């Protein structure tokens, strides 16, 4: 087995409040291989974005990594000193945020922002960095980059700004790109272009991509594998086609049922009753049990661990082989 | 851009007209100018003659136009107390006030920005909390009390600094400056601190709040995600974005500093326009009051105009919205 | 949209569910925990000090050894006596006496009365004026609205002290320079009221504009109910908390303004001194060594303003957590 680019082992993230410790991420593990696109999907508050922030070491206090390990190409990075971690951010891990309108400093020319980032990570002359910035802008599909490089962010449309953000994320040839809802704030017509761009860049440079989104359509189109998150845990993870065609976890089933299809065979949209619990009120056992149609006694007391089913792994007691008879 | 500048200038002229009406109303209706100019035994005929010569028999509109035309040429009439043209009095006093206000503003900006940035970046340190406490005291202590306190400490007790006046001044043309002599500089210290303290507090609070706000924005988060150094983030990105509104506000406040100088000038017997104004209020010297109001308004309006136009130069976003045809 | 925040059904009724909202909110509280704890102690102290000042002002005649406003009670033989604890101190003059033989403590207590009366009345006047103009501007709209708000804009660029001085000077010139002490009090209230109305007017106007666009106003008008009455009933409760905050902060500002005017010699006369007047008088004796004449009134004024400001800060934070 080749070494994965990103490897999370039993990662836990806590937010300490006056009354209690809230566990935003409760023991998640996954790998992303070179050139692979992993989609992370779930409702808001499921811990998708926190996972991304944890990987780049940007969890704001009072949040902190409470346990587990994060490895980047074999190097453990969750306990690096801040200055070491800073050198990794932007150089080895590129990040793309949700809202391109607010991601760029409005008072700086985009060229200056790119050159600044390049020169922070790569020893390069001003001119060389500028030339590289123009190449990057061309690569992400900005027309007439040698002119646009001196523009200010407000002179770019939302889609174009997201391209600039992507150029910034890849300017030091990172091994890993974390894209946190990169298309949510964009027009539908632009979304597909940005997704195609991220996919192409991942393929061309062999970059591993962690794509956080709540849009199953994006996942289906872009990802190799998908992790379904619920209440800070991974409910199910596996190859994207398997998970979409044959979801195992009751929550994943509900989620897939919630995607409208155009085939028209089954027009009834499945709705999952209730909503995800707040961090302060996660029930014991399986966090999904109050909403689960198949929940039984064990689900209310014992936390399900991931169970391998073919290429998929599912955290659900229904698939525990020792209890086969109870599986529906 | 040109249309914007023009629109702002028309607005500025509108404000000046409004203030002019108030100044004129004061000048004309609050106290009879004739009574103030003559003695008790002046005959009615003489009074009428003076009245006519002052144009007080003309229709109000004509009088106002006359007053405004005069004011536009800096002719504000004659002071009741000094029997001198108000314009000459103001011209003589203006350098003192402007030097004081400028020093106070520079002092306030330098220390206000330093303290504000520090207390935003090192929020929980003891020093930051001390700054917060100082800012509360700076807002709560009336200016004149601060002045008295300083005089008591540095003039009465220690005898280091003069408690009143400008010290020796040097004339450069009609401008008298205290900046070129040692005694002039020494005399400037305490009044500048007194006048600047309130502004400093204001700037410090503003810088702190703005900086904390900026540090929470997405582009700072993204700058961190890009792996920029803390130094580059704090003093490059965050500070630049913080200072744009701060400099605007400070610029706009310069007018208030001049007006606030009234108090400081009284405490330190600083021979500026403010002291002249306070004495005018006490002695009901309406021409000086009206002229002072006009002068301060003119300074206000000019600064507002300049800051507005400069702002668009600093912030590229505004430049875009303004140059876009409406 | 799966991102919509849906009320939590499954565990409604569970005690944890209606505990203080989400973790993010508690997180914010947590980070300022130590600070707010400290400040709340400070706030309690400030409230007590403010209350003490009000009580001292109300009961001044009972506590004071003399009525400092009554020239008959002042004896020149008692002039410039230092505070009681110094070598030359004399009973009953705890904080010493001034040039005219006025007991400094009594003068402070009576001066406090004037400062508080002018402050409270000034705030009440400016509040009433501002609320009224705000309601008119917001409700009538059009030219009236723009006129009122333009005046507000222009006035806001001038410091209150300048406006107060001008009002003061104009009133004096109209009524002649010799106003008696009691009417001077009225002039100060007027000057302060005219200097501080803008903030109230803006707040109320904003709220009126918001309410005006709502359907119930149209509905009320449709069934013939007088819209102004209904709006008033909705607008005033909505603006209560910002108005309260503005009023508290303005109380401190009004007291400072009164003291400053009196210090500049355009406020209360020497025969009926407020704290500002006392400081002006005392300032003349700073160099001759009679520090107590200025120090104690100055200290009283600073303590009064500081405690009201602390209350105002706390009130602002408590009523509007977003502003921190």
């Amino acid at each position: 087995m080749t070494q994965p680019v990103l490897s999370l082992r039993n990662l836990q993230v806590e937010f300490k409040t006056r009354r209690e410790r809230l566990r935003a991420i409760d023991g998640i593990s996954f790998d992303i291989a070179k050139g692979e696109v992993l989609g992370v999907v779930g409702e808001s508050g499921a811990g998708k974005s926190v996972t991304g922030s944890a990987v780049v070491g940007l969890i704001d206090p009072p949040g902190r990594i409470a346990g587990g390990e994060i490895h980047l190409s074999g190097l453990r990075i969750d306990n690096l000193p801040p200055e070491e971690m800073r050198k990794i951010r932007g150089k080895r891990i590129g990040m793309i945020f949700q809202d391109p309108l607010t991601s760029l400093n409005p008072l700086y020319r985009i060229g200056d922002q790119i050159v600044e980032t390049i020169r922070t990570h790569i020893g390069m002359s001003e001119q060389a960095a500028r030339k590289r910035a123009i190449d990057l802008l061309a690569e992400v599909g900005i027309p007439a980059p040698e002119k646009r490089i001196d523009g200010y962010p407000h002179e770019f449309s939302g889609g174009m700004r997201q391209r600039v953000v992507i150029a910034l994320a890849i300017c030091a040839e990172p091994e890993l790109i974390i894209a946190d809802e990169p298309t949510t704030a964009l027009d539908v017509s632009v979304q597909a272009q940005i997704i195609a761009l991220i996919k192409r860049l991942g393929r061309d440079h062999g970059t591993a991509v962690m794509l956080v989104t709540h849009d199953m359509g994006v996942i289906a189109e872009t990802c190799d594998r998908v992790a379904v998150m619920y209440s800070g845990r991974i409910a199910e993870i596996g190859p994207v086609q398997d998970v979409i065609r044959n979801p195992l976890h009751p929550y994943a089933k509900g989620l897939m049922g919630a995607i409208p299809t155009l085939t028209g065979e089954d027009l009834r949209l499945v709705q999952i009753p209730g909503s995800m619990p707040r961090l302060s009120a996660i029930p014991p056992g399986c966090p999904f049990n109050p909403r689960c149609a198949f929940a039984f006694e064990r689900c209310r007391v014992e936390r399900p661990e991931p169970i391998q089913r073919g290429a998929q792994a599912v955290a659900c007691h229904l698939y525990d082989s020792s209890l086969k008879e109870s599986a529906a | 851009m040109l249309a914007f500048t023009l629109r702002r200038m028309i607005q500025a002229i509108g404000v000046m007209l409004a203030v002019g009406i108030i100044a004129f109303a004061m000048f004309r209706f609050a106290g009879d100018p004739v009574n103030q100019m003559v003695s008790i035994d002046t005959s009615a005929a003489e009074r009428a003659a003076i009245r006519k010569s002052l144009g007080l028999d003309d229709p109000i509109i004509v009088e106002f136009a006359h007053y405004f035309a005069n004011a536009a040429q800096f002719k504000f009439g004659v002071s009741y107390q000094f029997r001198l043209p108000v314009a000459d009095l103001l011209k003589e006093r203006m350098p003192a006030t402007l030097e004081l206000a400028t020093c106070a503003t520079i002092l306030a900006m330098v220390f206000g920005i330093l303290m504000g940035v520090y207390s935003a970046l090192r929020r929980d340190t003891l020093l930051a909390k001390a700054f917060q406490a100082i800012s509360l005291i700076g807002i709560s202590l009336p200016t004149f009390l601060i002045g008295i306190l300083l005089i008591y400490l540095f003039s009465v007790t220690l005898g280091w600094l003069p408690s009143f006046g400008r010290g020796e001044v040097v004339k450069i043309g009609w401008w008298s400056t205290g900046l070129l002599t040692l005694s002039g500089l020494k005399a400037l210290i305490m009044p500048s601190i007194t006048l600047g303290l309130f502004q400093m507090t204001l700037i410090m609070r503003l810088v702190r709040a703005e900086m904390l706000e900026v540090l929470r924005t997405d582009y700072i988060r993204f700058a961190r995600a890009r792996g920029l150094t803390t130094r580059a983030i704090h003093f490059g990105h965050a500070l630049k974005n913080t200072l744009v509104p701060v400099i605007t506000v400070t610029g706009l406040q310069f007018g208030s500093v001049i007006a606030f100088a009234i108090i400081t000038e009284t405490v330190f017997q600083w021979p500026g326009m403010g002291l002249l104004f306070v004495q005018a209020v006490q002695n009901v010297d309406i021409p000086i009051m009206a002229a002072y109001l006009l002068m301060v308004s003119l300074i206000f309006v000019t600064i507002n105009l300049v800051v507005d136009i400069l702002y668009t130069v600093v912030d590229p976003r505004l430049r875009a919205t303004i140059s876009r045809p409406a | 949209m799966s991102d919509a925040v849906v009320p939590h059904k499954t565990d409604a009724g569970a005690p944890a569910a209606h505990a203080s909202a989400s973790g993010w909110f508690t997180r914010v509280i947590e980070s300022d925990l130590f600070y707010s704890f400290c400040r709340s102690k400070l706030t309690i102290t400030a409230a007590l000090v403010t209350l003490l000042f009000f009580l001292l002002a109300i009961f001044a005649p009972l506590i004071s050894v003399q009525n400092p406003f009554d020239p008959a009670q002042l004896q020149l033989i008692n002039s410039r006596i230092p505070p009681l604890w110094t070598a030359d101190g004399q009973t009953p003059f705890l904080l010493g006496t001034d040039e005219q033989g006025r007991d400094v403590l009594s003068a402070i207590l009576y001066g406090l009365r004037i400062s508080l009366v002018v402050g409270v009345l000034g705030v009440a006047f400016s509040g009433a004026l501002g609320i009224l103009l705000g309601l008119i501007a917001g409700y009538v709209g059009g030219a009236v609205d723009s006129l009122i708000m333009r005046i507000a804009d222009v006035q806001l660029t001038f410091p209150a002290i300048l406006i107060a001085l001008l009002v003061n000077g104009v009133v004096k010139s109209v009524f002649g320079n010799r106003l008696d002490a009691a009417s001077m009090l009225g002039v100060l209230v007027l000057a302060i009221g005219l200097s501080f109305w803008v903030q109230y007017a803006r707040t109320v106007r904003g709220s009126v504009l918001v309410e005006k666009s709502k359907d119930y106003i149209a509905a009320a008008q449709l069934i013939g109910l007088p819209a102004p009455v209904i709006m008033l009933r909705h607008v005033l409760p909505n603006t209560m908390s910002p108005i309260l905050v503005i009023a508290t902060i303005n109380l401190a500002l009004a007291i400072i303004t009164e003291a400053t005017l009196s210090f500049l010699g355009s406020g209360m006369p020497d025969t009926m001194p407020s704290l500002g007047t006392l400081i002006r008088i005392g300032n003349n004796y700073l160099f001759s060594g009679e520090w107590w004449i200025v120090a104690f009134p100055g200290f009283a004024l600073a303590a009064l303003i500081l405690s009201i400001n602390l209350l105002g800060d706390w009130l602002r934070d408590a009523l509007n957590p977003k502003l921190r």
Side-chain angles (χ1 to χ4, degrees):
Chain A
M1 273 270 295
T2 53
Q3 192 176 47
V5 173
L6 179 70
S7 172
L8 304 192
R9 287 289 159 263
N10 195 26
L11 182 72
Q12 295 171 335
V13 175
E14 275 181 359
F15 287 91
K16 211 176 124 218
T17 73
R18 190 172 2 177
R19 283 188 202 82
E20 59 213 324
R21 284 161 188 241
L22 299 176
R23 197 152 272 193
I25 302 289
D26 193 1
I28 65 172
S29 307
F30 61 75
D31 291 341
I32 307 179
K34 191 167 158 46
E36 185 183 45
V37 181
L38 174 78
V40 178
V41 70
E43 294 170 52
S44 60
K48 310 176 305 257
S49 297
V50 178
T51 308
S53 301
V55 171
V56 290
L58 281 182
I59 293 180
D60 294 316
R64 62 181 194 97
I65 294 176
E69 292 177 13
I70 303 170
H71 294 266
L72 181 69
S73 304
L75 172 72
R76 186 169 173 190
I77 59 170
D78 57 278
N79 54 0
L80 284 179
E83 182 56 19
E84 293 301 306
M85 193 60 215
R86 177 190 69 72
K87 287 180 182 155
I88 287 175
R89 277 198 298 270
K91 185 174 169 67
R92 297 182 59 185
I93 306 175
M95 189 124 190
I96 302 166
F97 284 140
Q98 177 172 357
D99 190 354
L101 300 180
T102 56
S103 293
L104 298 168
N105 190 331
L107 298 187
Y108 284 77
R109 294 172 199 278
I110 60 150
D112 293 344
Q113 299 191 45
I114 301 176
V115 167
E116 179 187 26
T117 314
I118 293 173
R119 296 192 66 198
T120 302
H121 296 297
I122 308 167
M124 233 185 214
S125 72
E126 184 89 35
Q127 279 110 333
R130 189 178 158 87
K131 202 182 156 299
R132 184 174 162 77
I134 294 174
D135 293 345
L136 279 167
L137 289 175
E139 185 173 3
V140 296
I142 288 181
E146 58 288 332
K147 276 193 204 122
R148 303 289 272 159
I149 189 166
D150 289 322
Y152 286 96
H154 69 266
E155 296 163 359
F156 290 73
S157 68
M160 284 296 151
R161 275 195 236 185
Q162 195 62 305
R163 287 172 194 266
V164 173
V165 168
I166 292 170
L168 277 161
I170 63 166
C171 71
E173 294 265 343
E175 297 142 63
L176 171 70
I177 293 176
I178 298 174
D180 190 350
E181 308 252 10
T183 58
T184 310
L186 299 175
D187 286 349
V188 180
S189 56
V190 185
Q191 285 183 359
Q193 298 171 16
I194 295 296
I195 287 298
L197 174 65
I198 292 174
K199 205 172 167 180
R200 175 168 63 83
L201 290 172
R203 204 179 51 227
D204 292 357
H205 298 261
T207 316
V209 178
M210 175 177 156
L211 179 63
V212 172
T213 180
H214 62 257
D215 186 341
M216 278 309 299
V218 169
I219 297 275
E221 219 173 290
T222 328
C223 301
D224 302 310
R225 287 195 306 139
V226 60
V228 178
M229 286 191 72
Y230 188 84
S231 282
R233 298 172 202 180
I234 291 179
E236 182 168 349
I237 182 169
V240 74
Q241 289 311 317
D242 294 356
V243 175
I244 286 179
R245 294 227 180 89
N246 180 30
L248 298 175
H249 195 284
Y251 175 66
K253 280 183 178 159
L255 207 59
M256 301 313 147
I259 313 174
T261 54
L262 288 173
T263 51
E265 302 153 16
D266 186 2
L267 285 172
R268 194 172 48 88
L269 275 178
V270 185
Q271 212 187 352
I272 312 170
S275 60
M276 205 173 63
R278 274 173 273 211
L279 290 182
S280 54
I282 295 175
C286 173
F288 188 59
N289 82 66
R291 298 170 72 188
C292 183
F294 311 102
F296 54 101
E297 193 47 42
R298 193 179 168 194
C299 302
R300 293 183 190 95
V301 279
E302 188 186 330
R303 176 183 167 167
E305 294 303 325
I307 296 162
Q308 202 67 36
R309 271 296 176 107
Q312 286 156 270
V314 57
C316 179
H317 291 310
L318 293 173
Y319 299 93
D320 192 337
S321 49
S322 61
L323 284 162
K324 239 174 208 157
E325 67 278 9
S326 65
Chain B
M1 188 73 199
L2 189 72
F4 169 78
T5 312
L6 237 112
R7 204 168 61 231
R8 301 295 306 174
M9 281 175 81
I10 291 169
Q11 276 176 13
I13 292 170
V15 171
M16 281 315 293
L17 262 170
V19 177
I21 291 172
I22 295 168
F24 169 69
M26 278 170 52
F27 184 77
R28 179 65 184 80
F29 301 113
D32 186 347
V34 177
N35 270 344
Q36 309 281 349
M37 289 175 72
V38 296
S39 58
I40 304 166
D41 44 44
T42 313
S43 73
E46 277 176 287
R47 282 170 194 256
I50 295 171
R51 183 164 283 276
K52 195 159 177 65
S53 75
L54 286 176
L56 294 179
D57 290 338
D58 298 335
I60 281 294
I61 287 290
V62 176
E63 256 189 78
F64 175 66
H66 196 67
Y67 179 81
F68 211 75
N70 276 337
Q73 303 165 57
F74 298 103
K75 289 181 195 157
F76 300 111
V78 174
S79 155
Y80 299 159
Q81 334 159 50
F82 299 99
R83 310 274 159 186
L84 285 170
V86 174
D88 292 353
L89 288 166
L90 283 177
K91 194 170 147 190
E92 186 193 320
R93 302 290 193 105
M94 196 184 306
T97 297
L98 285 182
E99 279 182 6
L100 174 61
T102 309
C103 274
T105 303
I106 292 171
L107 218 63
M109 277 187 85
V110 170
F111 286 96
I113 291 173
L114 284 177
M115 287 162 78
V117 167
Y118 183 87
S119 46
L121 293 181
R122 302 257 180 279
R123 248 206 296 182
D124 295 319
T125 58
L126 212 63
L127 193 58
K129 282 180 179 153
F131 287 163
Q132 286 289 96
I134 291 175
S135 89
L136 194 65
I137 292 169
I139 281 181
S140 295
L141 274 185
T143 309
F144 61 91
L145 267 187
I146 293 165
I148 292 173
L149 203 69
L150 288 178
I151 290 177
Y152 187 72
L153 270 177
F154 294 103
S155 303
V156 179
T157 312
L158 299 169
W160 290 353
L161 296 168
S163 67
F164 67 92
R166 281 184 88 185
E168 261 177 81
V169 291
V170 176
K171 282 261 182 190
I172 302 174
W174 61 273
W175 187 281
S176 65
T177 177
L179 298 174
L180 299 175
T181 63
L182 187 66
S183 76
L185 288 174
K186 271 170 86 175
L188 193 57
I189 296 174
M190 288 200 295
S192 303
I193 294 173
T194 309
L195 184 56
L197 196 67
F198 182 76
Q199 297 300 317
M200 186 196 82
T201 317
L202 216 68
I203 293 171
M204 186 195 129
R205 286 191 159 199
L206 187 66
V207 168
R208 179 178 180 274
E210 281 290 329
M211 189 110 179
L212 287 175
E213 192 71 40
V214 168
L215 286 176
R216 270 197 293 268
T217 56
D218 278 359
Y219 58 81
I220 293 297
R221 228 181 116 68
F222 187 53
R224 290 210 282 157
R226 283 190 275 148
L228 301 185
T229 58
T230 316
R231 199 188 154 85
I233 292 171
H234 286 170
F235 299 106
H237 288 262
L239 192 61
K240 183 168 177 180
N241 287 276
T242 303
L243 287 186
V244 171
V246 169
I247 287 174
T248 316
V249 171
T250 313
L252 293 177
Q253 286 283 322
F254 188 72
S256 332
V257 173
I258 288 178
F260 267 118
I262 294 171
I263 306 163
T264 309
E265 287 180 9
T266 308
V267 177
F268 291 95
Q269 291 298 300
W270 187 265
M273 295 191 295
L275 191 60
L276 185 71
F277 177 69
V278 167
Q279 287 162 353
V281 171
Q282 278 160 10
N283 300 316
V284 201
D285 195 343
I286 295 284
I288 291 185
M289 286 168 64
Y292 180 84
L293 178 66
L294 279 174
M295 285 306 296
V296 171
S297 309
L298 184 66
I299 294 170
F300 264 123
V301 166
T302 314
I303 289 168
N304 261 311
L305 199 64
V306 171
V307 167
D308 270 350
I309 292 166
L310 273 184
Y311 197 60
T312 60
V313 177
V314 182
D315 194 330
R317 282 166 298 179
L318 277 170
R319 218 181 303 154
T321 41
I322 288 156
S323 50
R324 195 181 305 145
Chain C
M1 289 295 286
S2 61
D3 264 280
V5 180
V6 188
H8 198 211
K9 276 185 212 144
T10 43
D11 59 355
H18 51 76
S20 72
S22 69
W24 301 96
F25 178 65
T26 13
R27 196 184 123 200
V28 171
I29 293 179
E30 162 70 19
S31 63
D32 286 333
L33 182 67
F34 179 69
Y35 181 55
S36 70
F37 174 69
C38 275
R39 197 173 45 181
S40 70
K41 265 206 299 197
L42 206 62
T43 309
I44 293 166
T45 318
L48 287 177
V49 172
T50 310
L51 188 70
L52 179 74
F53 274 121
F54 270 93
L55 289 177
L56 285 176
I58 291 168
F59 297 110
L62 302 179
I63 313 165
S64 311
V65 295
Q66 57 173 222
N67 179 357
F69 298 166
D70 180 3
Q73 291 189 27
L74 310 181
Q75 283 166 322
L76 279 178
I77 201 166
N78 289 333
S79 73
R80 301 202 209 181
I81 296 171
L84 197 56
W85 59 87
T86 58
D88 298 325
Q90 284 175 29
T91 46
F93 307 117
L94 182 62
L95 301 180
T97 63
D98 71 1
E99 173 74 3
Q100 298 174 336
R102 199 172 4 219
D103 174 43
V104 171
L105 181 60
S106 307
I108 290 175
L109 294 174
Y110 275 79
L112 203 57
R113 277 187 136 182
I114 294 180
S115 295
L116 285 174
V117 164
V118 172
V120 169
L121 288 181
V123 165
F125 179 41
S126 63
L129 186 68
I131 291 169
L132 187 70
L133 288 175
L135 282 174
I136 293 173
Y139 187 70
V140 179
V144 178
D145 179 29
S146 34
L147 178 70
I148 293 175
M149 291 336 277
R150 265 314 75 75
I151 295 174
D153 286 346
V154 173
Q155 190 176 326
L156 212 58
T157 55
F158 295 95
I161 184 74
L162 180 61
I163 293 161
L165 269 170
L166 280 171
V167 171
N168 204 293
V170 169
V171 172
K172 265 198 206 165
S173 77
V174 170
F175 292 102
N177 212 350
R178 291 280 160 258
L179 278 172
D180 64 71
S183 33
M184 204 53 228
L185 213 125
V187 174
L188 286 172
V189 171
L190 179 77
I192 288 168
L194 290 178
S195 313
F196 288 105
W197 61 274
V198 174
Q199 265 186 302
Y200 301 99
R202 287 190 158 187
T203 310
V204 171
R205 175 181 174 269
S207 180
V208 170
L209 288 183
V210 169
E211 292 296 317
K212 210 165 136 182
S213 61
K214 288 188 180 161
D215 286 343
Y216 74 88
I217 294 290
Q221 278 169 331
L222 223 65
I223 57 171
L225 280 173
V229 176
I230 294 172
M231 264 173 53
L232 212 61
R233 255 188 238 153
H234 283 84
V235 168
L236 285 188
N238 281 346
T239 47
M240 266 329 273
S241 50
I243 284 178
L244 199 64
V245 173
I246 298 172
T248 317
I249 291 168
N250 276 2
L251 178 60
L253 284 175
I255 292 172
I256 292 182
T257 306
E258 183 280 324
T260 306
L261 286 173
S262 295
F263 175 80
L264 294 178
S266 297
M268 297 306 292
D270 292 8
T271 49
M272 195 172 162
S274 73
L275 290 177
T277 319
L278 290 174
I279 294 167
R280 173 165 54 80
I281 299 169
N283 193 28
N284 299 330
Y285 298 98
L286 206 55
F287 275 92
S288 48
E290 283 101 9
W291 53 272
W292 60 90
I293 305 176
V294 64
F296 296 116
F299 181 75
L301 181 64
L304 176 67
I305 295 164
L306 187 64
S307 46
I308 295 176
N309 266 341
L310 280 169
L311 275 183
D313 269 11
W314 167 77
L315 204 61
R316 188 188 53 205
D317 295 353
L319 291 178
N320 192 354
K322 264 186 292 179
L323 288 175
R324 295 167 9 96

